[in-house]
């Protein structure tokens, strides 16, 4: 009732778009553009929309249980993480994965992208109150605090682990904090936001730095280790740190954990099935030569000069 329906539609579509964009990070450098477009159309209808209804529509089965997800920790990040993991398995690893280093191509663009995400996150989290209010301002503050705590704690753990505190690592830690506070941003105060961001920074660091080594799954941009794990951390911690003074606390740990598990299972299985069907019908991967050349040139005929 606080905004026009057209604005609500466009705002919700932005959530859907960013969720699918995150998934594509798991299959970077090996999936055909045509297959990606068809996959996106099918996935948004058969996977994203049902889960968004479960969590955010008043009649959704998770909503009626009291599942708490203020701005997309379950709907966006757990879904993206589970779908990214399924996509990485279905498409297979990049050439040379595990045999040659695959470091970020351009640190400047990486940091710029992290900054744009950080700023854009304010719109998603504070905007999920659908009004200019004290709760929206609180969600914005929680978002900033969790991002800072995530960056700092990632950097500290990295210092203990490698005796270095990298810009890339702290940018990733900030994203981990942003992901984890997303479901909680409209429910927690300063202490809760700092705690969630700090915990996410440490947990996501541990998973990001070990997941590929132990599983041999080529999740190119660590979508599962960052978004999936960070989303679960934030979803489970939301009822713990939620304050009744800010908004009703409608869930406990078990309720939110059940929702996280249900969404992860449904999304993972459905994504894997859709991709396997597309692979059988038309194929998912570019050929070896195009993968070697790079998708910028082979799929789009253009490249950003480094």
């Amino acid at each position: 009732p606080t905004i026009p329906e057209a604005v609500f539609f466009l705002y919700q579509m932005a959530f859907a778009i960013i969720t699918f964009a995150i998934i594509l990070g798991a299959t970077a450098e090996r999936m055909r553009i045509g297959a990606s477009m068809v996959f996106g159309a099918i996935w948004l209808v058969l996977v994203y929309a049902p889960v968004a209804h479960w969590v955010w529509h008043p009649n959704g089965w998770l909503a009626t249980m009291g599942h708490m997800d203020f701005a997309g920790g379950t709907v966006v990040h757990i879904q993206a993480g589970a779908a990214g993991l399924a996509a990485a398995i279905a498409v297979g690893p990049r050439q040379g994965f595990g045999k040659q280093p695959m470091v970020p191509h351009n640190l400047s663009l990486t940091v710029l992208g992290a900054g744009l995400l950080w700023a854009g996150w304010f719109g998603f989290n504070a905007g999920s109150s659908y009004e200019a209010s004290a709760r929206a301002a609180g969600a914005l503050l929680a978002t900033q605090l969790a991002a800072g705590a995530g960056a700092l704690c990632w950097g500290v753990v990295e210092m203990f682990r490698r005796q270095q505190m990298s810009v890339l690592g702290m940018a990733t830690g900030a994203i981990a904090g942003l992901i984890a506070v997303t479901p909680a941003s409209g429910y927690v105060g300063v202490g809760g936001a700092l705690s969630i961001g700090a915990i996410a920074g440490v947990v996501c660091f541990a998973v990001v730095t070990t997941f590929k080594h132990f599983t041999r799954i080529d999740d190119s941009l660590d979508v599962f280790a960052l978004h999936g794990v960070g989303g679960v951390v934030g979803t489970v911690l939301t009822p713990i740190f939620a304050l009744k003074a800010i908004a009703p606390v409608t869930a406990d740990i078990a309720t939110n954990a059940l929702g996280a598990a249900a969404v992860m299972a449904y999304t993972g299985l459905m994504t894997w099935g859709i991709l396997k069907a597309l692979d059988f019908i038309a194929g998912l991967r570019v050929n070896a030569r195009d993968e070697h050349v790079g998708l910028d040139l082979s799929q789009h005929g253009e490249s950003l000069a480094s």
Side-chain angles (χ1 to χ4, degrees):
T2 57
I3 59 175
E5 185 177 10
V7 175
F8 177 78
F9 163 76
L10 290 169
Y11 186 64
Q12 289 298 322
M13 185 60 72
F15 276 95
I17 291 167
I18 196 64
T19 305
F20 185 72
I22 293 168
I23 295 168
L24 291 181
T27 61
E29 295 302 323
R30 56 200 189 275
M31 194 164 159
R32 295 191 299 115
I33 181 65
S36 299
M37 293 171 70
V38 174
F39 170 45
I42 297 171
W43 190 87
L44 288 169
V45 173
L46 297 184
V47 185
Y48 179 86
V51 170
H53 183 276
W54 293 355
V55 177
W56 283 337
H57 192 281
N59 297 331
W61 72 272
L62 287 175
T64 59
M65 291 178 62
H67 183 91
M68 298 172 72
D69 180 9
F70 187 72
T74 305
V75 175
V76 175
H77 298 293
I78 291 179
Q79 268 212 101
L85 179 62
I89 294 170
V91 176
R94 289 167 288 179
Q95 295 181 48
F97 174 72
K99 300 177 182 178
Q100 60 191 55
M102 295 181 174
V103 297
H105 168 67
N106 189 310
L107 184 58
S108 297
L109 290 178
T110 301
V111 174
L112 174 62
L116 291 171
L117 281 173
W118 193 329
W121 228 287
F122 295 141
F124 277 112
N125 286 6
S128 289
S129 63
Y130 299 108
E131 58 189 9
S133 63
R135 192 179 186 192
L140 190 152
L141 176 61
T143 302
Q144 179 78 339
L145 292 171
L152 179 61
C153 288
W154 185 295
V156 170
V157 175
E158 192 176 40
M159 179 69 76
F160 278 104
R161 176 80 177 270
R162 302 193 305 119
Q163 289 73 56
Q164 291 178 319
M165 186 181 288
S166 69
V167 172
L168 176 63
M170 293 188 72
T172 309
I175 300 303
L178 290 165
I179 291 164
V181 82
T182 295
S185 54
Y187 302 115
V188 300
V190 169
L194 288 170
S195 299
I196 290 172
I199 293 168
V202 174
V203 172
C204 289
F205 175 88
V207 179
V208 166
T209 54
T210 58
F211 180 78
K212 289 178 184 175
H213 175 73
F214 285 107
T215 65
R216 313 307 300 168
I217 296 171
D218 185 13
D219 179 350
S220 305
L221 300 186
D222 299 306
V223 172
F224 175 77
L226 195 57
H227 292 270
V229 172
V232 170
V233 168
T235 297
V236 171
L237 293 179
T238 293
I240 297 175
F241 292 104
L243 299 176
K244 292 182 180 179
I246 297 175
V249 179
T250 58
D252 54 21
I253 296 174
T255 303
N256 266 29
L258 173 63
V263 169
M264 188 166 287
Y266 175 80
T267 302
L269 291 171
M270 285 291 291
T271 302
W272 188 86
I274 292 168
L275 286 171
K276 281 299 181 182
L278 288 175
D279 193 25
F280 178 77
I281 294 170
L284 294 174
R285 290 190 68 132
V286 297
N287 59 44
R289 177 188 173 279
D290 286 353
E291 185 176 345
H292 178 73
V293 169
L295 270 60
D296 286 347
L297 291 174
S298 65
Q299 294 284 288
H300 308 290
E302 56 193 5
S303 180
L304 180 68
S306 60

